[in-house]
Amino acid sequence: MDIHQIFMHRCLQLAALGRGDVSPNPMVGAVLVHEGRIIGEGFHQRIGGPHAEVNAIASVAEQDKKYISSSTLYVSLEPCNHFGKTPPCSDLILHSGIKKVVIGSLDPFEKVNGTGYMKLKAAGVDVMVGILEKEAKQLNARFFCNQLHHRPYIILKWAQTSNGVISADNGEPMKISCDLTNRMVHKWRSEEDAIAVGINTVINDDPQLNNRKWTGKNPVRVVFDPNGKMPEQSKVLQGNQKTIVFTHEEYESTEFVEYVQVGRNEDWLRQVLFILFQKGIGSLLVEGGAITHQRFIDAGLWDEARVIVSEKEYLSKNNDCVFAPQLKSENLITEANLGTDVIRYYQNK
């Protein structure tokens, strides 16, 4: 790993600290280096807040401010070049007198998309692009998916027994994963914008769909209820956690429950995903059930799958149990042991 990769790796470490707090914006980290020494570093901490470059330059100690203009700025994503919730970072860089900038990846957002890079180059700044580019894009896979495909980044998640069962005979819910894995699932929930289930899961399991076993924000709850079967006392309709219900029927929304009427055409799922994208939902954790999962898989509308496999085996008495969905075009990335479970991580090829 050369010197540029070392400092870019630090940018990526910093950027990851913003996970779950900056969506639908990207996670970005920046470090300011003078003669091999980091004199400032920062990351994008919250949506609407200062960007990574601003925080990095602001963090420089008083005695080191004289070195800013002769330092190299490393940033994991191309500096912005437009007025959004904050001023352009490209202007700040030029105003600071920085003469060299090293970038992990260009920004696909239409208001940036190379313009930050070109502005710096035109002003005489020495700009390098593509340092740890693959890692930079992977860190912001959600953001790149949003910008390129105009839909949320989709993560499928389910738990199954060692013989592939996800619910008992007659659809009865069953405890499959261990307590450690259950806590991990709640951590996952805190990192994504929304969590989705089908109406059968609501009727059979009555889930809360929050992250009560972890910290941080609760995701927006999304329910697919095409024919209006939702019981009025369902937990997903309670409390002040935002819920969006997609249905073919017409209902009046409330302060915390929004009903969205969608058409009955075969492509309604893509319609739903585009609506979520327009609402600023950058990532969607799909938790069930089997029919909902398979619908996403068959449509090719998934980016990542996390399959929890228990050491337990379920032997059906009535041959009426529900088996796990079947992935297509999957690529096993890695697997990890957690308690008595194995978690397998897949990507869509």
Side-chain angles (χ1 to χ4, degrees):
M1 185 178 290
D2 66 22
I3 192 68
H4 293 315
Q5 291 177 332
I6 289 172
F7 290 125
M8 187 58 66
H9 182 69
R10 178 57 181 162
C11 288
L12 296 175
Q13 286 181 322
L14 290 165
L17 297 176
R19 188 182 303 278
D21 296 319
V22 299
S23 181
N25 288 349
M27 295 174 281
V28 185
V31 297
L32 196 61
V33 179
H34 180 263
E35 296 183 353
R37 179 174 67 93
I38 294 177
I39 63 171
E41 60 180 31
F43 66 98
H44 186 30
Q45 299 179 15
R46 57 181 176 80
I47 188 168
H51 287 187
E53 301 93 322
V54 177
N55 287 331
I57 293 171
S59 74
V60 177
E62 191 63 38
Q63 66 269 21
D64 288 332
K65 290 188 183 298
K66 59 181 177 288
Y67 300 129
I68 291 178
S69 61
S70 56
S71 296
T72 298
L73 177 67
Y74 291 81
V75 59
S76 58
L77 192 70
E78 177 185 8
C80 64
N81 190 40
H82 67 288
F83 282 89
K85 292 184 173 64
T86 60
C89 290
S90 55
D91 287 351
L92 173 66
I93 293 169
L94 295 177
H95 180 74
S96 300
I98 295 170
K99 300 296 190 297
K100 185 168 184 176
V101 177
V102 180
I103 299 169
S105 169
L106 294 180
D107 187 337
F109 181 49
E110 62 180 3
K111 292 184 179 179
V112 185
N113 198 19
T115 61
Y117 164 80
M118 292 303 297
K119 183 172 185 176
L120 295 176
K121 288 281 288 185
V125 178
D126 180 9
V127 186
M128 292 180 62
V129 179
I131 304 301
L132 296 186
E133 182 177 22
K134 180 180 178 181
E135 292 84 349
K137 288 183 175 180
Q138 182 58 44
L139 177 69
N140 277 311
R142 292 156 180 76
F143 178 71
F144 276 78
C145 176
N146 302 160
Q147 299 306 312
L148 298 176
H149 303 301
H150 295 166
R151 64 164 174 81
Y153 183 85
I154 299 167
I155 303 169
L156 309 181
K157 169 262 159 184
W158 69 80
Q160 64 184 57
T161 64
S162 61
N163 60 328
V165 174
I166 64 172
S167 63
D169 289 335
N170 301 316
E172 289 293 322
M174 57 189 292
K175 180 175 170 56
I176 297 177
S177 51
C178 69
D179 290 340
L180 276 175
T181 304
N182 287 338
R183 289 195 66 191
M184 176 65 79
V185 169
H186 283 245
K187 178 178 183 294
W188 293 344
R189 291 177 177 181
S190 73
E191 295 171 346
E192 310 306 335
D193 291 344
I195 179 172
V197 294
I199 186 58
N200 289 339
T201 296
V202 173
I203 292 172
N204 294 332
D205 299 354
D206 196 19
Q208 297 181 60
L209 302 183
N210 57 25
N211 64 335
R212 59 194 176 278
K213 296 181 180 179
W214 200 254
T215 59
K217 65 177 179 60
N218 283 310
V220 173
R221 299 180 291 203
V222 175
V223 179
F224 305 120
D225 182 20
N227 298 311
K229 296 181 179 179
M230 180 95 69
E232 291 184 3
Q233 298 306 312
S234 298
K235 291 176 182 175
V236 294
L237 300 179
Q238 312 304 318
N240 57 6
Q241 184 179 347
K242 175 75 174 179
T243 299
I244 303 174
V245 181
F246 288 96
T247 177
H248 299 324
E249 311 300 325
E250 185 176 355
Y251 296 96
E252 185 175 345
S253 298
T254 65
E255 181 179 2
F256 297 110
V257 181
E258 179 183 3
Y259 290 92
V260 179
Q261 189 175 13
V262 293
R264 295 179 180 273
N265 57 63
E266 293 182 0
D267 215 25
W268 69 268
L269 184 55
R270 293 182 187 274
Q271 180 184 357
V272 163
L273 294 176
F274 183 66
I275 291 171
L276 290 175
F277 166 74
Q278 290 181 311
K279 291 180 179 295
I281 300 297
S283 60
L284 183 67
L285 180 64
V286 183
E287 289 211 4
I291 294 175
T292 298
H293 277 132
Q294 201 63 55
R295 182 173 286 119
F296 276 88
I297 294 168
D298 291 345
L301 292 171
W302 67 281
D303 300 288
E304 185 181 333
R306 300 172 185 176
V307 181
I308 301 162
V309 182
S310 171
E311 64 177 8
K312 302 173 184 175
E313 182 179 9
Y314 181 77
L315 299 177
S316 175
K317 296 178 181 178
N318 304 319
N319 198 29
D320 195 25
C321 58
V322 178
F323 285 93
Q326 297 298 306
L327 289 171
K328 300 176 182 178
S329 301
E330 77 276 13
N331 183 28
L332 178 63
I333 302 301
T334 188
E335 60 181 48
N337 294 294
L338 187 59
T340 56
D341 301 329
V342 176
I343 305 176
R344 294 179 180 147
Y345 296 85
Y346 298 91
Q347 282 183 340
N348 189 341
K349 291 180 183 178

